[in-house]
Structure formats: structure tokens, C-alpha cells
Amino acid sequence: PVLLAAAGSLAALAIIAGGVLLLTRRGAPPAASLVALEIRTTPPGAAIRVNGEARGLSDLKLNLAPGAYQIEAELEGYQTARASLEVKPPQAAPLHLTLEPLAAGLRLVSDLEQGKVILNEEAPRELQEGQLALDALPPGKHVLKLIGRDGEATLAFETGPAMLPAAADPVTRNLAAVVLASLGSRARLYASFGPAPVELDGQPVGQVGPGGLELSHLAPGTHELVVGAEKARRKMIIDISPAPLLTAYVQSDRDVGTLVVVTGEDGVRVFLNGREQRRTTSRGQLRIPNLAVREYAVRVAKEGFEEEPEQRVAIRKGEESKLDFRLRPLPRLAVLSISGGPAGAQVLLDGQAVGTVQDDGSFHHAGVAPGEHQIELRRERFAPRVIRRNFAAGQTVQLAGAEVSLERLPGRLQVVVTPRDARLTIARPGEAPRPLSGPSVELAEGTYVVSARAPDHSEASQVVQIVAGQTQTVKLELTRLKSGGTAPAALSGMALWGGGWVEEGGWFFRRGGNYVLAQIGRMDGRIVFTAMLRKGRRLRWVLNYSDERNHDLFELDRRSLYHTVVRNGRKNERPKVAHNLGDWQYCTIQIEVTSGSIIHRVRKGEEWVTVSQTPGEPGRDYTQGKFGFYLPGDDTVGLSHFSFTPR
């Protein structure tokens, strides 16, 4: 439809005389609402997570919306550092996290029935079921000796805080030793024999020989490591964790193997062929050495967890076999589930943040204790919603529909007008203006046109973007007319543009058509328009247009304003001018046209900023010809307001 401007609403539609520029990125919070935060760590280089989302490496500068955040810093070889903070404008104090180094650990795994272990000439320690575990080794050089009835093994190594343990090739007598030094995703493998082929999780990774073999890009958890081939093939189950760890696997030629039961839970009871083992799982697993070579039935159990099906495994000579059991807890807690919720809303349970509603409106939290709880939904620019529900063990409380919807907060408009007795009106784009009851009013979020009139004064209008929960101030100064003077009548509205425009949400869009011209005679005066580029590389308009071979072409992109003079088909590009508007979504432009000059201004906040001034040239009159938009191909432009005020 064509927008027809009535005489009484011409000033209201002259919104472009005070347009607003939206500088925020599409889909992101307005830049003015973000708070700068710097996250520093000692040592630097830690991976930073904000509410569980990876954001980069420290030291790191972020812009966050006001609210509560959980910050985590992770670095191989160090304990994860965590902090909770409330981000408030105008600027948050820098957050400094100190990561404590993880001490190195030592694990010795063997198939020896008996043996003594000596570390650094200390008192001998007895092997327990062929194993020894030491935590928090002091930094420095160490020598580990294993003495058994069947042979001996010696390993020299060095440890340090957050350091990959450095080892020499193990020296053995009548035994075979494989040593793995690991730290996070990095490891180095040593062997008392070789060179020998190495496989990791079924894939060849090289050969281990004197000086060891480097392994990289290891994921946390358990892996299957095979060293050697055919009769000399040895299979081990290795553990990869963020802490520095040295693990020595020492084997004799006994006809036994090892079973590693992985549960992910501590204190799990393990049964082999119905016989309960003396030890339970620790660090989520149990290693059972010196098992006779045959098949076993394996079962696990832990109070508070569902019963898992029995599994069977074949134990082979000189190999470690692994069984995985994924224990599932019995339903002792309740579940909170949300569907159709406001995407991005923070969910709080009894005042504590427990997560965020996903983009599809869903949320799931499985750790709710039985009893009555308060659920709160918070989202920037919306009024919070509080819901109380009773939760029973094993029950899922489902919230959906209207009970999880949020009401958008209104924004506030304050108008400062000179003279004070001027009459104020307000309108949305494409709507008729209505009186403004006072200089301060609450409004729904959106774009508005504020206009002012007073006797013996020129009229003034300005576009304002109302943001939920924020106050916007508009200043309008009406110029007193000379005695007997009248303000020039402004031409405005889409009636000046003819057909081909489609209305959508208060905007009028035009797709393609090459040169789309306004139906205005002599262009001696001021042009003001608010425009949005829906498709295309640049927003383009023309002045002094007589035909496709003779006109002045102006183009606006994210950084600069361009001017190309087209005369008799020949193009002469003038120097581009930076406009410093940032990443605009739509903008308001004012063009002053006289016979000898063209002045371009853009609206920034409450001010008009001059971007360029095109001087006159002999024999040229800029007021001749037409004004319009250049829309090649399927370029699409949207107009919210347009006006022309003759001089």
C-alpha cells in the first residue's frame, strides 16, 4: 500500500530530521548495554569458559551483558580455577585467577606375585597385588627400583610442578618394562626393549626405541596401548588426565594377564565368577592383575545405582583387558524440565543459577532434591518470572506455555523541548501520530517518531529507538521564525515513490529496479531518510540524475561513504570518506542540496555529524535532475521514513 501523508501529520513523518542510528550487531545485545571484563590468570594461556562456553585463552578481554556468571580457567598440569561474579555496568573490575600446579603421581603395575619397591634409597615398600601408587611426588630427580623373585627393573626420572615427567629408558633384568610419562594431551613412551611397533586404540603411531616415542593429541580417559608384535605383543590400558603422571608397566613371562574394570565411580564392588574382589574401584576403576589365562564373568554393584548386566572377558597372557560399566544412579532426585521457554533466559533454582534455556526453548536439570523449590526465569529486558513447585524423588516437573513466558519490560522516553510549551506527538513508523501526554512516558520496545510544534516556530521531529528497561532522552529545539515568516512545507511519505514498494512491520521494501526515483521536482532543499539494506553490498542513492549515463552515485557500507561522478557514461571516483558509524543495521541520513554543493550528514545519537561536502563545479547545478535509490539485480532496500523540505 501507498502511504499518503495528511497535512496535519507531515511534521510527524519528517522523522528523518532527527533519525537514530542503531550501532549494534544483528542479534547481539546493544553495545551500550555490554560491560567490559578482563580475565587474567597466573600462569597465562589458560582456556577460559564462561557459563560452560569456551571463550578463548587468558589473558582475555570480553564484553558481557550484565548478570551473574560462572568463570572457569583450565590449563594442563594445573587444577581448574573457578569463580562466580556479578557483572555490572559501567565496567567490571579485572578478574584474576591463580591456577595451582598439580603434583606428579607415580603408578607401578606388574604381574609379580611378590616384590619390593625402593624410591630414592628410601625404605623398601611391598607390592600390593603387584601394584604401587604414590601421589604428590616432590619435584626433582628420582630413581625407582623394583626387586622381585623373577627379576629387577630400574627407572630414573625427573618430576616438577605442571611438568611432563622426563624419564630415561628403563633398565631391566629378566623383566620387560614399558613406561608412559603423561601430562594432559601429551605423553612420551619408553621401553626396556625395542625398537618395537606401537599402536594406540588400534592405530599405528610409530616405533618405540632408545630415547622413547612422543605421543600427542591424547583425549582424557582410558586408551588401549599395544607395544610389540606377535609373541612379544604387550597390551596395556593407560589413563590420560590433566595431572602429570608416570606409569611403569613391568612384566615377567608368567602365564597371567590383567583386567581393568572401568566404572567412572569410586567404591564400586567388583565380582569375578561370582567372587567379590577385596578392593573396590578408585579413581573410577579397578586393576586386577595376575589372573589366570581364561574367560571370566564380571559383575559390578554399588548402593544407590541400578544393577548392570554381567559381562564376560577373555584374559590373555601379558595383556591388559578392559571392561566398561556405565553405572546409572537410582532416581533419588527429581528433574526440572522446561519446553517452549524464552531462549537465552537464565534459570535459577532457589536463587542459584542452574543453566540457560536453549535456542529451541528447552531446558533440563536432573539434580533437584525432593521438596518445594522456587524456579525463577531471568532475561535481559524482560520482567523475571517466579514459579513455585513441589518435587518428588524420581519425578519430572514439566513447565511449559504461559507459565514460562516472560513479559518484556517497557522502556522510558524523556523529551526535552524548547520552547517548553511546544505540543508533542509520537507515532510508530507507518502509524498516525498521537499526543504525548508529558515529557516522560513508558513505551513498548520499538522505533518511534517524536515531533514538536509551537506557534511562530519551525517544527522538529526525531526518530528514537526505545529499548526495554532503558531510558532514552530526546532533545528538540524549535527555531523561532522571523516576523510573518512560515516554515517551508515538507514533502514526505511513500506517495513520492510510486509503486513497487511492499510494507512490512512499519518499513517499506523495494527489491531491484535499478534506478528507482522519487517524484520530486527541483531538488533544492533538504532530504532526510532512514534506510535499511536488506540485501546487497552497499546502500546506494543518486543525485542530479538525468539518465543512466549522467548522475552522481553515492554508496555507503560499514566503513565509508563513496562518491562516483558519472558523465556521458564515464565514471570518475572521488576519494572515499570514513563515516565511523560502526556496524550499523539501519541509519538516518540528511542531504543538503544547493546548486553549488551537496552536504551529507548522518545521525549519531542526538547529533548530526557531517560526513562529506561536495563542492560545486563550473556548469553544474546539483538541484537539477532526480533523487533516488540504485538497486541493481535483487538488491533490496527498506525505507522507514522519507521527507524533502524545499529551501
Side-chain angles (χ1 to χ4, degrees):
V2 177
L3 178 64
L4 298 176
S9 61
L10 288 177
L13 294 175
I15 47 166
I16 2 301
V20 143
L21 174 67
L22 183 63
L23 299 178
T24 58
R25 294 183 182 273
R26 195 183 294 261
S33 68
L34 298 180
V35 179
L37 172 67
E38 182 177 5
I39 303 175
R40 307 168 185 164
T41 65
T42 302
I48 302 299
R49 291 183 176 273
V50 179
N51 288 349
E53 178 185 356
R55 299 298 296 269
L57 302 180
S58 64
D59 293 339
L60 180 66
K61 294 182 179 179
L62 298 172
N63 289 320
L64 300 175
Y69 291 90
Q70 299 292 324
I71 310 296
E72 294 181 329
E74 298 176 346
L75 185 63
E76 288 184 352
Y78 292 85
Q79 296 181 28
T80 299
R82 297 178 173 86
S84 301
L85 78 158
E86 185 80 17
V87 174
K88 298 179 180 179
Q91 185 168 352
L95 176 64
H96 194 170
L97 298 174
T98 300
L99 283 72
E100 298 296 333
L102 294 166
L106 173 66
R107 304 285 182 270
L108 174 61
V109 181
S110 77
D111 63 357
L112 302 181
E113 288 185 299
Q114 295 179 340
K116 296 183 182 295
V117 180
I118 302 173
L119 180 64
N120 300 332
E121 304 301 330
E122 297 175 356
R125 295 175 171 89
E126 294 289 339
L127 284 177
Q128 301 295 324
E129 296 185 4
Q131 303 175 63
L132 178 71
L134 297 176
D135 294 323
L137 287 177
K141 295 183 178 180
H142 307 276
V143 176
L144 177 72
K145 294 182 179 180
L146 171 62
I147 303 173
R149 184 177 59 186
D150 299 321
E152 298 179 358
T154 302
L155 174 64
F157 63 96
E158 182 178 0
T159 61
M163 161 186 158
L164 176 70
D169 292 331
V171 178
T172 62
R173 181 180 64 82
N174 296 333
L175 298 173
V178 174
V179 177
L180 182 72
S182 65
L183 173 62
S185 62
R186 299 176 291 127
R188 194 164 190 86
L189 183 69
Y190 305 87
S192 62
F193 53 89
V198 179
E199 292 182 5
L200 184 67
D201 296 330
Q203 299 298 320
V205 291
Q207 285 198 333
V208 61
L213 172 66
E214 182 178 351
L215 304 175
S216 59
H217 307 297
L218 300 176
T222 59
H223 298 267
E224 184 180 278
L225 178 70
V226 176
V227 181
E230 298 178 354
K231 293 183 178 181
R233 184 177 185 268
R234 295 171 174 84
K235 184 173 74 170
M236 290 143 282
I237 305 301
I238 64 173
D239 296 303
I240 300 300
S241 70
L245 180 64
L246 189 79
T247 306
Y249 302 87
V250 181
Q251 294 180 341
S252 64
D253 196 34
R254 298 176 61 217
D255 196 19
V256 294
T258 298
L259 172 63
V260 180
V261 179
V262 179
T263 64
E265 296 284 341
D266 291 346
V268 178
R269 301 158 61 199
V270 179
F271 300 81
L272 264 63
N273 293 338
R275 182 177 179 180
E276 184 175 356
Q277 300 301 293
R278 183 176 61 85
R279 294 179 294 119
T280 60
T281 57
S282 176
R283 297 184 180 87
Q285 62 179 245
L286 175 65
R287 184 176 257 102
I288 308 172
N290 299 322
L291 293 176
V293 175
R294 59 189 178 91
E295 189 178 79
Y296 293 84
V298 184
R299 182 173 62 86
V300 299
K302 183 178 180 180
E303 185 178 354
F305 288 81
E306 296 182 8
E307 183 177 346
E308 292 296 313
E310 182 180 84
Q311 298 188 45
R312 305 190 71 83
V313 62
I315 299 298
R316 295 182 172 84
K317 177 181 177 180
E319 293 189 2
E320 291 192 340
S321 300
K322 183 181 73 166
L323 285 182
D324 282 303
F325 289 87
R326 298 305 175 198
L327 298 185
R328 293 168 294 177
L330 292 171
R332 293 180 296 177
L333 300 175
V335 176
L336 170 63
S337 181
I338 295 175
S339 61
Q346 187 181 37
V347 183
L348 294 89
L349 188 68
D350 298 328
Q352 298 296 318
V354 292
T356 303
V357 177
Q358 301 300 306
D359 290 342
D360 62 357
S362 65
F363 174 80
H364 190 82
H365 178 60
V368 184
E372 187 179 57
H373 295 278
Q374 175 179 290
I375 306 106
E376 183 177 358
L377 298 176
R378 293 181 186 174
R379 185 179 174 188
E380 187 180 8
R381 303 184 191 173
F382 289 81
R385 178 176 288 273
V386 176
I387 308 163
R388 299 197 68 86
R389 287 289 187 276
N390 191 63
F391 290 77
Q395 176 195 19
T396 296
V397 173
Q398 180 74 44
L399 303 178
E403 62 183 342
V404 293
S405 64
L406 296 182
E407 182 178 350
R408 189 178 291 272
L409 289 170
R412 178 164 290 277
L413 171 66
Q414 290 185 341
V415 182
V416 180
V417 62
T418 304
R420 292 185 178 181
D421 59 351
R423 290 183 295 109
L424 300 174
T425 59
I426 191 168
R428 284 182 176 271
E431 295 180 356
R434 65 180 188 275
L436 197 59
S437 57
S440 180
V441 64
E442 286 189 346
L443 297 169
E445 190 172 65
T447 303
Y448 294 85
V449 183
V450 183
S451 301
R453 295 180 181 179
D456 302 324
H457 288 75
S458 62
E459 299 177 2
S461 299
Q462 184 171 321
V463 176
V464 61
Q465 182 74 23
I466 297 298
V467 178
Q470 297 183 13
T471 298
Q472 305 292 336
T473 301
V474 169
K475 294 182 179 180
L476 297 174
E477 293 189 7
L478 281 60
T479 303
R480 179 176 291 277
L481 299 173
K482 295 181 181 181
S483 178
T486 58
L491 305 176
S492 62
M494 298 307 296
L496 300 172
W497 289 93
W501 296 80
V502 177
E503 184 178 8
E504 182 181 329
W507 290 80
F508 290 84
F509 289 94
R510 174 66 185 256
R511 177 182 177 185
N514 288 327
Y515 297 94
V516 180
L517 305 176
Q519 305 304 309
I520 303 174
R522 182 178 174 85
M523 297 300 301
D524 186 5
R526 181 174 65 243
I527 305 168
V528 186
F529 59 88
T530 299
M532 170 195 301
L533 183 62
R534 172 172 282 184
K535 186 173 184 179
R537 292 178 57 248
R538 295 174 179 174
L539 179 65
R540 300 179 171 101
W541 62 91
V542 293
L543 280 161
N544 198 25
Y545 179 91
S546 58
D547 54 45
E548 295 185 6
R549 296 170 54 83
N550 295 277
H551 57 269
D552 285 70
L553 172 66
F554 295 89
E555 302 173 272
L556 189 76
D557 63 13
R558 300 299 182 190
R559 297 179 180 177
S560 304
L561 175 68
Y562 305 82
H563 180 194
T564 302
V565 179
V566 182
R567 291 292 178 266
N568 297 321
R570 300 182 61 180
K571 297 181 179 180
N572 180 16
E573 295 184 0
R574 301 289 179 85
K576 64 181 180 181
V577 180
H579 53 62
N580 300 319
L581 294 180
D583 193 8
W584 51 273
Q585 182 182 3
Y586 63 79
C587 60
T588 301
I589 297 171
Q590 180 189 98
I591 309 172
E592 292 280 354
V593 183
T594 67
S595 60
S597 68
I598 301 175
I599 301 174
H600 278 86
R601 300 184 181 93
V602 294
R603 187 77 179 184
K604 294 186 69 175
E606 299 178 1
E607 304 293 334
W608 285 108
V609 178
T610 300
V611 176
S612 72
Q613 183 168 353
T614 304
E617 295 180 4
R620 295 184 60 187
D621 183 351
Y622 291 122
T623 64
Q624 300 298 318
K626 296 287 187 180
F627 168 83
F629 289 98
Y630 178 45
L631 302 174
D634 58 356
D635 277 17
T636 305
V637 68
L639 278 182
S640 177
H641 302 88
F642 177 84
S643 72
F644 171 68
T645 304
R647 195 171 305 280

